[in-house]
Amino acid sequence: MQYKIIQPPFTIEFHTMNRDEANSYFNWFMEQISDRIQILEQAIQSIAGYENWQATYTPQSLERLGQWFCEQVETRKRTKREKKEIYNESPTWFKNIEIEGWELTDRTFSLAMDIGMYFGRTFEKNFSKLTWVMVTKPKNDANFQQPVLSGTGKLVLNPIWILVTYAYGIARHSKGPQRLRELYNTWMNLLVE
């Protein structure tokens, strides 16, 4: 099966979007969740050994999903231009840090987004107090104008950011297949307190 990479309708730069653009992105994101989880499920089932995996929205389903994701993460060589742009857009103190010579592939970013949607939906299905919202303030919040899961407290869960970070950990060989279930358990404890 040919996996279809997700294509947001516009560049995702949350801090520079105006509110109408952010609302449009949020609405687009919410409309994509069911379809993207179905695409993810088909992609997983097309790989030998994973034919029986189903999007059951259970914590247990995250165990095999984490294993599969570890086998799918890919990197590409980062261009000199990309490195230069990173340095140019970074604070002064960052300019002395060596930038890695690789980046995640577009396919890996797309899988992280799809798995993030599934990860979020798993929380949503198992904790009725959680709902998707868009962070609207303060502007310096790391999750500003992004879709997150929120409950009754101030803590929010950004499943897309968590999965992208996890993908980088897999690429660096510092995180393994069990990490996805561990992340669920950690956030479950934080969100239900």
Side-chain angles (χ1 to χ4, degrees):
M1 180 210 144
Q2 181 69 25
Y3 171 74
K4 181 181 174 187
I5 292 175
I6 195 166
Q7 297 290 327
F10 31 74
T11 304
I12 304 173
E13 293 186 21
F14 296 105
H15 281 79
T16 61
M17 288 179 181
N18 64 42
R19 188 53 51 87
D20 287 340
E21 291 169 332
N23 284 328
S24 292
Y25 176 82
F26 180 82
N27 292 333
W28 171 84
F29 179 90
M30 296 305 298
E31 290 170 2
Q32 299 302 306
I33 293 175
S34 295
D35 289 343
R36 293 309 303 185
I37 290 173
Q38 186 177 23
I39 290 168
L40 174 67
E41 185 175 48
Q42 291 170 353
I44 294 168
Q45 291 173 351
S46 72
I47 304 295
Y50 295 94
E51 301 90 346
N52 296 324
W53 187 88
Q54 293 183 336
T56 58
Y57 306 105
T58 62
Q60 295 77 17
S61 69
L62 299 173
E63 294 167 12
R64 289 291 286 157
L65 180 55
Q67 178 69 46
W68 181 84
F69 190 41
C70 283
E71 296 168 9
Q72 301 301 310
V73 169
E74 301 171 328
T75 61
R76 61 168 176 79
K77 188 175 179 176
R78 187 176 268 152
T79 66
K80 288 180 184 179
R81 181 175 162 226
E82 286 174 315
K83 286 183 179 182
K84 186 176 180 180
E85 286 175 3
I86 291 169
Y87 279 126
N88 289 341
E89 295 173 9
S90 299
T92 306
W93 62 266
F94 188 82
K95 308 237 189 266
N96 295 325
I97 296 175
E98 179 68 28
I99 294 177
E100 292 180 288
W102 57 268
E103 180 57 272
L104 299 173
T105 63
D106 289 345
R107 181 178 184 275
T108 299
F109 279 118
S110 180
L111 287 172
M113 193 164 184
D114 290 345
I115 296 170
M117 288 177 178
Y118 179 74
F119 190 66
R121 180 61 51 92
T122 300
F123 275 100
E124 190 180 20
K125 296 264 187 193
N126 289 286
F127 300 98
S128 60
K129 291 183 180 179
L130 293 177
T131 185
W132 289 96
V133 298
M134 180 178 67
V135 176
T136 58
K137 58 184 177 180
K139 285 187 173 187
N140 64 351
D141 189 305
N143 298 306
F144 181 65
Q145 299 194 134
Q146 295 180 53
V148 298
L149 283 165
S150 179
T152 55
K154 291 184 178 182
L155 187 63
V156 297
L157 169 69
N158 186 333
I160 307 305
W161 181 247
I162 288 172
L163 264 294
V164 169
T165 303
Y166 178 37
Y168 279 111
I170 293 168
R172 290 184 184 107
H173 306 288
S174 64
K175 301 294 180 224
Q178 72 287 349
R179 184 66 179 150
L180 189 58
R181 177 64 189 267
E182 290 170 358
L183 286 165
Y184 180 86
N185 293 341
T186 299
W187 278 94
M188 176 190 67
N189 291 330
L190 292 170
L191 292 168
V192 297
E193 289 179 351

